[in-house]
Amino acid sequence: MQPGDLNELIEFQRVSNTTNAGGGTVESWAAVGAKSWAKVMAISGREMVRAGQVGSNTIYEIGLYQRTDIDESDRIVRANGDVLRIRSAPTHTSAAFMTITAEKVTP
């Protein structure tokens, strides 16, 4: 991967749960660190029927500069607004780049 391949600005987000005034739990997402330039490529996709509704599942491979502040519990928000669930984030190495596998599930 070359730096010029990184053509999309993405944001990593982490969930946090807070208690509202009624005692219920509210889930919210907040940015993790700075946005990153990445190369986002769809590598597979399929359609399925769940609960009588047609949906799709697309797997993405995301290349970016090495980061140490993200893990599988985080999510990625693309520049176009798509939200991707991280399926695998590699262990941190001394390599300049890393590759993350993520999926978009559309109900």
Side-chain angles (χ1 to χ4, degrees):
M1 185 176 326
Q2 299 295 319
D5 295 336
L6 310 179
N7 60 2
E8 182 175 339
L9 198 56
I10 62 172
E11 178 178 70
F12 290 93
Q13 295 182 343
R14 183 162 295 149
V15 69
S16 69
N17 293 309
T18 57
T19 305
N20 63 17
T25 302
V26 177
E27 183 179 273
S28 61
W29 293 86
V32 176
K35 292 182 178 183
S36 294
W37 286 101
K39 179 180 182 179
V40 181
M41 294 183 352
I43 57 174
S44 70
R46 64 186 171 127
E47 287 187 349
M48 65 204 119
V49 177
R50 281 189 298 206
Q53 304 240 341
V54 176
S56 65
N57 175 316
T58 307
I59 306 296
Y60 291 88
E61 196 171 83
I62 299 148
L64 65 151
Y65 281 109
Q66 187 71 244
R67 290 185 61 150
T68 59
D69 59 344
I70 56 172
D71 60 40
E72 285 87 0
S73 64
D74 298 335
R75 71 182 187 178
I76 296 168
V77 179
R78 297 184 65 188
N80 65 5
D82 287 350
V83 177
L84 310 177
R85 183 179 66 85
I86 297 175
R87 294 181 67 182
S88 68
T91 55
H92 307 295
T93 68
S94 60
F97 296 99
M98 65 189 294
T99 301
I100 294 172
T101 304
E103 74 177 324
K104 176 185 175 191
V105 178
T106 305

